[in-house]
Amino acid sequence: MADKKKIAILTSGGDAPGMNAAIRAVVRSALYFDMEVFGVRDGYLGLMQDEIEQLSAGDVGDIIHRGGTMLGTARLPEFATDPAVRQKCYENLRAHGIEGLVVCGGDGSYRGANLVQHEGGINVIGLPGTIDNDLAYTDYTIGFDTAVNTCVDSINKLRDTMASHGRVSVVDVMGRGCGDIAVHSGIAAGAEAILIPEIKKTDNQWLDYIVQKLRTSFARGKKYGIIVMAEGVYAAPKMHHFTADYIASWLNANSETVGRRVDARGCVIGHVQRGGSPTASDRILSARMGEKAVDLLRENQGGLCVGVVKNRIVAVEIDKALSMKRRVDKHLIELADILAR
Ligand code: ADP
């Protein structure tokens, strides 16, 4: 009887809710197709240290609803810079007889995956595990929907207290260079203004924009305000001072521009956005993508990453995926603008 095909999965880089659901989907799909499946601890670090263990169907029980990743994740900069580290990783995979690897992570993890494919000669399939939604080849990444829901939940709570006191909340959300968490949570939470890095404005232009939005909103009788800013706006070159607290203080000091007294507060939602039980949408996305990854490895395909485009699961070359430039959904931004009038 021929040996069973062996594949492995690792999670790498920043964690995202839904990674566990993806691990479960890969393991259970692989077992369904009579493969052996291994879990690698702590991303590329575990590959280097040979922390690779076979997983059973039971090992991935009771994780579908949990945030984080049962395999752990880590950052190993030497994987990018030291060929000897990478060779050790490839040797460890080969020593276990592993022919295929699923890498769940963001763009950095994908760059590593590409090396495993082209340098290590082991078939690799990427799964987009990142809350940031910053991979251009896919409409959604695993964890994005959960992060948006966490933001909306936080903003709902802020809204209660802002409404009671007639205050303005300036809310900083994650996403690195991508404004999708801000746009989606801003629309879902009914924000007056949404600041994203894809729209290039100086800090003064952003402040003008916020003032105009608040004036409009107060003029129709609203007593409080919600401003959502993507962290990438603050991280933009020369705008390091442009934090949620800075904007709030500026509004307080320049109330006359808004036309009424403003009591504004900055709020950074922070790392809670990375945690929590994944939403149904993220779990289903993980299930569909995990199954697809196993299908591709069964067909001896590699160097691909799985995505979802117009609700269809697709596979794209990792090289191509990494070179694609993300386009911001202009209509969503216009819609936010229309609805906040
Ligand atoms: P993410 O995958 O969430 O973007 P990182 O950028 O931190 O997270 O990348 C995760 C890991 O992927 C890094 O610690 C490193 O081991 C590997 N990696 C990142 N960039 C590269 C690269 N250019 N080449 C090879 N490996 C990389």
Side-chain angles (χ1 to χ4, degrees):
M1 206 173 78
D3 280 348
K4 287 185 178 181
K5 192 177 192 109
K6 293 180 180 165
I7 67 166
I9 176 163
L10 61 79
T11 50
S12 168
D15 66 343
M19 279 184 163
N20 276 327
I23 296 167
R24 174 180 178 271
V26 167
V27 170
R28 298 255 170 104
S29 301
L31 293 174
Y32 177 78
F33 289 112
D34 209 25
M35 299 171 169
E36 287 182 19
V37 54
F38 293 74
V40 182
R41 283 215 62 83
D42 298 337
Y44 296 115
L45 181 67
L47 268 192
M48 184 183 76
Q49 296 176 341
D50 195 23
E51 291 181 71
I52 303 172
E53 276 179 27
Q54 195 166 349
L55 294 172
S56 67
D59 289 332
V60 293
D62 203 28
I63 63 166
I64 192 170
H65 59 300
R66 295 186 198 280
T69 156
M70 68 167 272
L71 291 174
T73 181
R75 293 201 160 93
L76 179 68
E78 297 80 6
F79 192 83
T81 55
D82 187 345
V85 165
R86 293 199 296 273
Q87 285 308 325
K88 183 80 190 118
C89 294
Y90 310 149
E91 280 162 23
N92 287 339
L93 281 171
R94 284 193 209 105
H96 288 275
I98 292 166
E99 297 168 54
L101 178 67
V102 179
V103 170
C104 183
D107 61 336
S109 303
Y110 274 18
R111 285 177 219 286
N114 231 0
L115 288 173
V116 179
Q117 176 73 42
H118 297 298
E119 188 182 75
I122 293 156
N123 279 337
V124 185
I125 304 296
L127 293 182
T130 166
I131 65 165
D132 298 332
N133 214 35
D134 58 352
L135 294 165
Y137 77 95
T138 181
D139 289 348
Y140 297 108
T141 55
I142 293 168
F144 170 69
D145 186 62
T146 306
V148 168
N149 276 281
T150 299
C151 291
V152 172
D153 184 48
S154 300
I155 298 170
N156 286 344
K157 287 171 180 155
L158 283 168
R159 176 191 284 273
D160 289 345
T161 171
M162 294 300 131
S164 303
H165 289 271
R167 287 179 178 147
V168 172
S169 194
V170 184
V171 190
D172 170 307
V173 301
M174 285 181 157
R176 297 197 296 176
C178 179
D180 282 16
I181 294 181
V183 172
H184 285 245
S185 56
I187 290 177
E192 269 67 43
I194 302 171
L195 285 61
I196 56 169
E198 292 89 340
I199 296 179
K200 303 292 172 215
K201 290 190 203 278
T202 63
D203 51 356
N204 283 334
Q205 286 168 335
W206 278 126
L207 291 170
D208 280 348
Y209 160 78
I210 293 169
V211 165
Q212 290 316 316
K213 289 294 185 181
L214 288 176
R215 287 184 81 97
T216 308
S217 177
F218 291 154
R220 70 169 152 78
K222 195 165 177 179
K223 301 276 186 292
Y224 64 97
I226 305 284
I227 315 293
V228 176
M229 70 176 294
E231 63 180 357
V233 173
Y234 139 78
K238 298 193 188 140
M239 284 176 79
H240 288 286
H241 65 287
F242 201 65
T243 60
D245 271 343
Y246 172 85
I247 296 171
S249 308
W250 186 92
L251 286 170
N252 294 337
N254 295 275
S255 287
E256 73 287 350
T257 60
V258 180
R260 62 155 246 205
R261 193 185 71 83
V262 175
D263 181 4
R265 305 287 162 102
C267 173
V268 178
I269 298 184
H271 278 88
V272 293
Q273 290 164 88
R274 288 256 198 93
S277 181
T279 58
S281 177
D282 269 331
R283 296 181 202 189
I284 293 164
L285 189 62
S286 298
R288 295 173 73 198
M289 289 182 166
E291 181 207 36
K292 179 70 175 179
V294 172
D295 272 350
L296 293 167
L297 290 176
R298 278 177 69 217
E299 294 164 0
N300 294 321
Q301 298 205 56
L304 301 168
C305 49
V306 179
V308 63
V309 176
K310 296 188 167 64
N311 202 25
R312 285 188 182 280
I313 298 296
V314 298
V316 177
E317 281 174 22
I318 296 175
D319 279 326
K320 190 174 164 205
L322 287 172
S323 68
M324 286 167 75
K325 209 170 150 39
R326 191 160 182 89
R327 279 201 216 109
V328 57
D329 186 339
K330 289 212 175 103
H331 180 66
L332 266 188
I333 292 161
E334 283 162 20
L335 179 62
D337 222 44
I338 291 166
L339 301 184
R341 273 164 214 266

